[in-house]
Amino acid sequence: MTSRIPSTHVDTQRHPVPDQFDQWCQAVVGFDVSRPAAEAGAPFSAKVDAWSLGEIVVIVGDIGSSHSYFAKDRLAQPKNYSFLLVVEGVVELTFESRSLTVNSGQIVAIDWRQPAKADMMPARTVQVVVAGRMLQAEMGEVPVLHGALIGSAAGRILTEYLLSLARELPSADLADVQTLSNVTVKMITACLSGLPIEQYPSDPVLGTAIRQRVGRYIEERIGARDLTVAMIARDLAISRATLYRAFSSSAGVAGYLQTRRLEAAHAALSDKNDSRTIKAIAVAFGFSSASHFNNAFLRRFSYRPSEARIGPSSRIIASEIKPDATPEARLRAIVASLSRSH
């Protein structure tokens, strides 16, 4: 006899009423779940079937009770994407900068590593959870998907495919897993190919949210040598183009990263209790080359790291000294610097 595809079935009606919602919470992966306070202790109806197809999971759910999912800003989350088809009912989504109503027949993409709240009314849904690396393998650069509706003809074609997949999976064989996985990912990526890489490039609120997330990420890793724009884009699931737009006033995220490293290095150099050498401090904040650090520091602060170390009273303000300045002009600059330090 041929083996069936591994699957899971959850039916809260199999449990006593006081335990139904708790059982549902234990079944949900990757999100915090809550329900309206007025419904606490009331029956909670949810029936879900899930099939594992290698690096994707297909979930068919009949949810008869209202509740909410909340996805926090968690870098520890898997780099997964959900493609949620609302077959019947309504799903209300709230992101950092906007809200979205997903009606029957619509498909929305959700990035697990980005904050979102989903308010579920009684609904029937088909959801495909895909590992991010599978999308990257097919598409190269993945569009900004969080909250993107997949509409028009592509959306209708994908809707029909997901409904067919949900019908076929209960009788599919284990030998079909790889084929179904490959076909499903190719169908999704083909429908995504029409989406613009930048979904909301001019949204100022979204830009602020991105800067805050990236800023927190950088502060936590300010001393990591391998901290690069590519790493930030990958770990936060934000395209490089989006990063550049969000940090355009700082010469892109690379410019912002260098500024924060230089400011952190300056604070260390100015700390009388920090006995590290200038080279050691430069290395600690991601600069592998002493000359690169010295030049970048001079451009940023108009004086050299050695002058930051000995204190403001002895700094020469390099921006005031012309390259061909005479010794007298240099002396005047020194005096001017001393006078401003008091």
Side-chain angles (χ1 to χ4, degrees):
M1 181 177 178
T2 306
S3 298
R4 296 299 182 192
I5 294 174
S7 62
T8 300
H9 178 73
V10 176
D11 185 353
T12 61
Q13 299 302 306
R14 295 180 177 179
H15 302 279
V17 169
D19 299 333
Q20 288 174 350
F21 184 69
D22 288 340
Q23 290 296 322
W24 176 244
C25 292
Q26 293 178 28
V28 175
V29 177
F31 300 87
D32 294 334
V33 190
S34 63
R35 68 186 307 198
E39 297 182 18
F44 184 86
S45 174
K47 295 181 180 180
V48 172
D49 290 286
W51 291 267
S52 175
L53 304 177
E55 290 190 279
I56 74 171
V57 177
V58 180
I59 304 167
V60 178
D62 281 295
I63 314 299
S65 300
S66 300
H67 63 292
S68 298
Y69 297 102
F70 181 69
K72 296 179 180 178
D73 185 2
R74 291 169 292 179
L75 291 177
Q77 277 285 76
K79 298 172 187 176
N80 292 338
Y81 293 90
S82 284
F83 298 92
L84 179 69
L85 165 63
V86 179
V87 182
E88 297 176 3
V90 175
V91 176
E92 298 282 352
L93 290 170
T94 304
F95 307 100
E96 288 182 317
S97 62
R98 64 196 179 93
S99 298
L100 177 68
T101 299
V102 188
N103 296 301
S104 299
Q106 292 185 310
I107 300 173
V108 64
I110 300 171
D111 183 339
W112 282 34
R113 291 166 65 87
Q114 304 246 15
K117 180 183 178 184
D119 293 314
M120 300 285 295
M121 316 303 173
R124 175 175 172 79
T125 62
V126 178
Q127 179 180 186
V128 180
V129 182
V130 183
R133 60 180 170 272
M134 296 189 74
L135 298 183
Q136 290 178 334
E138 288 290 327
M139 304 183 72
E141 184 172 10
V142 179
V144 178
L145 295 178
H146 197 48
L149 283 173
I150 305 173
S152 68
R156 292 191 292 273
I157 291 170
L158 186 57
T159 294
E160 292 300 323
Y161 173 77
L162 293 181
L163 291 173
S164 298
L165 184 64
R167 288 194 297 268
E168 295 297 326
L169 280 173
S171 59
D173 296 328
L174 189 59
D176 299 324
V177 164
Q178 194 60 54
T179 299
L180 290 174
S181 176
N182 291 341
V183 170
T184 301
V185 171
K186 288 184 182 297
M187 282 290 299
I188 290 173
T189 55
C191 293
L192 293 178
S193 62
L195 291 176
I197 293 296
E198 298 301 316
Q199 285 287 310
Y200 310 101
S202 60
D203 187 331
V205 179
L206 180 59
T208 299
I210 290 173
R211 287 191 295 274
Q212 291 174 345
R213 294 185 67 227
V214 173
R216 290 195 298 269
Y217 180 91
I218 288 175
E219 294 308 311
E220 292 170 1
R221 299 162 178 79
I222 193 69
R225 288 191 188 183
D226 60 349
L227 180 58
T228 62
V229 176
M231 177 188 292
I232 295 169
R234 182 193 68 211
D235 288 353
L236 298 183
I238 303 172
S239 74
R240 290 195 185 201
T242 300
L243 286 174
Y244 185 82
R245 288 176 183 270
F247 287 87
S248 58
S249 62
S250 304
V253 72
Y256 174 82
L257 172 58
Q258 183 175 87
T259 296
R260 286 300 303 125
R261 281 175 161 166
L262 289 169
E263 290 171 347
H266 190 290
L269 289 166
S270 302
D271 184 353
K272 294 180 180 180
N273 296 317
D274 194 326
S275 60
R276 289 176 294 177
T277 65
I278 292 176
K279 181 178 179 181
I281 289 174
V283 170
F285 291 104
F287 292 90
S288 57
S289 164
S291 62
H292 179 213
F293 174 64
N294 287 334
N295 292 335
F297 194 98
L298 179 58
R299 286 194 301 270
R300 176 69 179 86
F301 300 109
S302 298
Y303 48 84
R304 302 181 187 283
S306 57
E307 296 172 281
R309 166 129 288 176
I310 62 178
S313 62
S314 300
R315 292 178 192 153
I316 300 174
I317 307 303
S319 62
E320 298 177 2
I321 302 176
K322 296 180 180 179
D324 59 347
T326 64
E328 291 80 7
R330 291 179 182 277
L331 180 58
R332 285 197 297 271
I334 293 172
V335 173
S337 176
L338 287 172
S339 67
R340 283 194 295 270
S341 67
H342 293 290

